[in-house]
Amino acid sequence: MKTVMLSLALALVAGCSGLKVSTDYAQEQDFSRYTQWQWHPEGASKTGSQDRMGNDIFDARVKRLVSQNLADKGLNKGDKPDFYVNYATITDSRVSISTYNSYGGYGAGWGGYYGRGAYGGGTSHTSVNYYDEGTLIIDIIDARTNLLVWRGSGQARLAKQSNAEKNEIKTEETIQKILGV
C-alpha cells in the first residue's frame, strides 16, 4: 500500500498534458516591494490527503524547484522575508463516464426511390474510468500581515506509473506554469 501511495505521490503531475493552471491575487497588493522570501514557518499546509501526497521526496522536490524558480525571478531567500511561500497538495478520486453511440441511420436501401428505405439500429457503449487527480497549490503570504496575497494551482490526472526522472520533469513544468516563469 505504501508503494502505491508513494508512486501516486511522486506522479502528481506525470500526466501534465491535461494540466489546468489557475491563479488569483489581491489586486491592491504592491508586489514590487517583495524581494526576500522564506518558507512559511508552519510548513506545508495539511490537507485531508497530505499523508498521501506529502511525502519527504515530493516535499524536497517541490521546495527545491520553487526556490529555483523564485531565484530565476530575482527573488532571494532571506532572514527578513517580505513574503512567505507555502504549498499544499490535494488528491481526489474521480470517475469519468463516457457513452459512445454508433447510431444507425435511414438510408436509401434497395429500391429507395420507391419509398422503401433501410433503417439500421445503433448500439451504445459506456465506459467507466476511475482515476486520481492531484492538485498542487502554491501560496504567497505577506510577511507583515500574514495574509494570503497570491495563490496559484495546477491540477492534473495522476499517472498510474512513473519514475523519478519523469516526476522531476513534470513537477518542474507544473511549478513553472503556476509561478509564470
Side-chain angles (χ1 to χ4, degrees), residues 41-121:
E42 294 178 17
S45 297
K46 299 296 180 190
T47 63
S49 62
Q50 186 68 23
D51 291 338
R52 182 173 189 185
M53 299 283 302
N55 63 67
D56 294 336
I57 296 169
F58 184 76
D59 181 62
R61 180 176 287 133
V62 168
K63 286 183 175 179
R64 180 176 43 78
L65 292 170
V66 167
S67 297
Q68 181 181 330
N69 278 274
L70 290 176
D72 290 347
K73 288 177 148 294
L75 301 167
N76 301 308
K77 199 170 181 185
D79 293 334
K80 295 181 181 181
D82 302 309
F83 66 98
Y84 293 114
V85 177
N86 203 5
Y87 82 92
T89 57
I90 301 169
T91 304
D92 290 316
S93 295
R94 301 282 188 193
V95 177
S96 172
I97 301 171
S98 301
T99 301
Y100 305 96
N101 293 307
S102 60
Y103 294 108
Y106 188 81
W110 183 80
Y113 288 110
Y114 300 103
R116 286 181 252 158
Y119 180 78

Side-chain angles (χ1 to χ4, degrees), residues 150-169:
W150 185 92
R151 172 171 280 178
S153 66
Q155 184 177 46
R157 184 180 285 210
L158 299 177
K160 292 182 181 182
Q161 295 181 348
S162 192
N163 62 46
E165 187 176 311
K166 286 181 184 178
N167 294 335
E168 177 78 16
I169 292 167

Side-chain angles (χ1 to χ4, degrees), residues 23-32 34 148-151:
T23 60
D24 195 9
Y25 61 94
Q27 292 179 335
E28 68 281 356
Q29 192 66 32
D30 179 13
F31 290 97
S32 66
Y34 290 154
L148 178 69
V149 294
W150 185 92
R151 172 171 280 178

